[in-house]
Amino acid sequence: MAVKTKTRRTAWGRARRAWDIEIGDADRAGPSRAKGWSPEGVLDATWQALARPGPGSLRRMYEHVFVPWYWGGGAFAAIAAHVGLAAGADLVPAASALVAAAGAGLTAAVAPGVLRSRWGQRRFPSAAAWVRAEVGHTRVVAGVAVTFATLAAAAAPTTLDGWSTTAAAGVLTLLGVSARWWQHHRHALVVRRPGLEEIFTGPLPDPESSGAAVPADLLGRITTRWGAHVAAEAKMLPGAKMLEVQPTPFGALVKVETVGDGQGAEMVRANLGRLGSALKISPAQLEIEDDAPQEGEPDPTVFWIRAISRQIMDVPVPLEDGRSRVVERDGKTLIRMGRYVDGDGEPEWLLYDGKSMWSGYIGGITGSGKSSLSEGLMLGMMQTGCTYTVYIDPKGGQSSPRIAEHANWFIGSSELADWHAVVDGLITLVKERGKYLKAQGKSGFKPSRDFPGVSLIFDEFYEVKADPVLAEKVGWLARKGRSTGVTVLIITQGYGLEDFGHDSVRANTTVANSVALKMRANQASIFSRDFPRSNPARLPDTENQPRNKGLAVSLKGRDCIMRTAYSGDEVTDRLMAEASEVQVQDLDPFSADALDEGSGGMFASRLEDAEAAEAAGAEEIAARIARGKALLGGARPVREKKAGPPVPAPGRSGGGFAVGVTMPPAIPHQVLVDLGLAREEKAAAIETARAEVAAPAGVEGTAAGVLELIRHRRVITTAEVLEAFQDEQGRPQKGYGATAVKAALRELAEAGLITKPGSRKAPWRLP
């Protein structure tokens, strides 16, 4: 009991002294704790500094440099003691050398075993890890030590010159045998200085160009902790050996060979969290790669561990890097998505392969970076110059306003009927394009500006789960549309069936392109089932740490975490505005007619419907603000009563047919007024009235001809105006060149005779 009390008091005394030193202020510590000087305190502090150095001491910082000197100094001291004892006992040099060889050999044989023991691993962790990993070098060192001890005992130096020569030879020998140790541990040190962490709090530079991002001490953690925490008995990989250890710009690369049954790469990949805790490295920074030798059969027990520095993972990837997002290679059209975090290559999205167009999937929780990735893909589709984009967003364009602005056809409706109409139109387009390509004698689809591919970008796709029929249509479209140039890009939050609505959607949209950002564990488990080497749940947190936004895993390419490209809102807006100059503007006539027919005329009325929706939305907002002001002023606004639930018809129960009840035949309807015919007659009358109106005063020449054309077409783009005034050879008519037509359009716009509402891409029309 007295021993425990003494230990407790000693520990409390040390803690109290550490607290006083840390405070560093006698006033705060109180009069009774004012620091003083005493010989006992100086001696104790000196002994503590020598025997138990703190974590911030020079001995700890340069431990990898001092270790060979410790062991070499101890060996030299033992040799000197033996020579002195032999001289005092009057032993002849031969007998002294024999005794020295026996003692040094016994020590060399016993020392490695002692270091492999638990006591040795705890007392000398660095040397113990080296003995386990470098068996051959340990034997060389032991042999050199025995030889040097034997030669020194045989020389039996007695003078100052003799000992100087012996000491110089010992130093040179120590430097020679320690070279491998120092070479291996030269990257295990990272000097921490005040302000260094602030470098990595903001945007980091590109390590490939500046080298300013310094990897953390991952190599030191792996080499020092491998033997005791990974390869030791009862640990994760007992007996596993590190065959190669390579420092890299991104961290470390270690080649491992296991000796136990079932200790392959798949087992380690499945227990990556356990390996990370053993090495004190986050599992998100570790990757397991199979070994692929150039000759011979691969060994499943040999694999590579790739450790990526946290600082390197935080290096941003700019969307604007001076190159197009589109890559043409081996007949394929690919879109660059970003860069692998280790800097070795770029992940790519397969859009065309020369014969087909491919669908894709993007998933991730809110705030994981789906919008940035989808905008980068949209930019690449625009830069191809042969991709027509259709964008559906149930949130009215709020999911990605940039895609809504630059898509060729944007549907911001949340009505299932509108989604059905668009998908039905694309299904009709697939069928009719198949007939067209067959008539042309073509096999497969190759995009061009005159015959572009069509990509349906469906955001917030989990909304489709309420209509399984619609989801099944989308699955058919993703399966059958690739050979005719019609595909679907699904953007949702998870990977479960509720995110796809139908399993055919998940099976066909994830064939070639599947990118998952941060996901919940339950969603990531399903993703890992289909793609065992990719687990989005291991990605770092994005909700509390925004710097992790944009980290993702991809089905295609390397088994490595990637970071998607992003350069900020202003740069993205400018890049998309520049890409709109080369973006395809319209479908080919054949596809436009098929799409309009399949969508029930929705494609033809897309511009008018967009204007009407915009006007109705503005009117509704103004009306609500007016009612809100009246409500805040104490008035009670008059509201229309909402219609109650529909009353079931006789013979129905809850909207469904009653069991065993025969329904009467439907009553035939008689058409009293043909609204379609009346609409056509009204439109024809308006066109006739417009044609009869002469051009306003002061409008003549090219401007008069352009105004007459716009009155006839009602809605027309600048390119269509130029095309209308060309002859059969494609040459402009006299007075209707590109410069004259554009000047006429500006003149008419300034006079208020024509207008272009919305963005620059909007067509010209009458006010």
Side-chain angles (χ1 to χ4, degrees), residues 702-725:
T702 304
V706 173
L707 179 60
E708 182 180 356
L709 176 64
I710 296 176
R711 283 177 171 176
H712 177 70
R713 295 279 189 93
R714 294 192 298 174
V715 177
I716 190 171
T717 63
T718 303
E720 292 173 343
V721 174
L722 294 172
E723 184 179 357
F725 290 105

Side-chain angles (χ1 to χ4, degrees), residues 347-433:
E348 297 168 333
W349 184 279
L350 176 60
L351 190 60
Y352 303 103
D353 65 357
K355 292 186 177 180
S356 302
M357 185 179 181
W358 292 93
S359 299
Y361 158 82
I362 298 176
I365 62 175
T366 302
S368 59
K370 296 192 301 295
S371 299
S372 301
L373 176 57
S374 58
E375 289 170 0
L377 293 177
M378 176 66 185
L379 177 61
M381 293 180 185
M382 296 170 65
Q383 291 177 347
T384 61
C386 58
T387 305
Y388 188 90
T389 53
V390 181
Y391 182 49
I392 297 179
D393 182 15
K395 294 183 178 180
Q398 295 301 314
S399 298
S400 180
R402 294 181 184 85
I403 299 180
E405 178 184 358
H406 294 280
N408 296 103
W409 184 14
F410 167 57
I411 300 96
S413 172
S414 59
E415 298 294 334
L416 290 174
D418 295 336
W419 303 349
H420 272 281
V422 175
V423 175
D424 290 341
L426 293 174
I427 291 175
T428 303
L429 176 58
V430 171
K431 295 178 179 179
E432 296 302 318
R433 271 194 171 184

Side-chain angles (χ1 to χ4, degrees), residues 197-228:
E197 293 77 6
E198 298 177 0
I199 300 177
F200 303 115
T201 57
L204 295 178
D206 188 348
E208 296 180 356
S209 60
S210 65
V214 182
D217 54 339
L218 299 183
L219 187 62
R221 297 189 189 185
I222 295 175
T223 55
T224 57
R225 297 184 60 83
W226 181 267

Side-chain angles (χ1 to χ4, degrees), residues 33 38 163 188 357 362 389 493 553 700 746:
R33 296 185 180 182
S38 64
W163 279 111
M357 185 179 181
I362 298 176
T389 53
Q493 294 189 356
V553 292
E700 56 186 10
R746 287 195 301 269

Side-chain angles (χ1 to χ4, degrees), residues 195 289-290 352 612 675 685 705:
E289 297 181 0
D290 297 325
Y352 303 103
L675 297 179

Side-chain angles (χ1 to χ4, degrees), residues 470-480 502 504-505 508-509:
L470 176 60
E472 190 173 0
K473 290 181 181 180
V474 175
W476 185 96
L477 188 64
R479 182 175 67 255
K480 298 291 186 180
H502 198 274
S504 62
V505 181
N508 291 285
T509 57

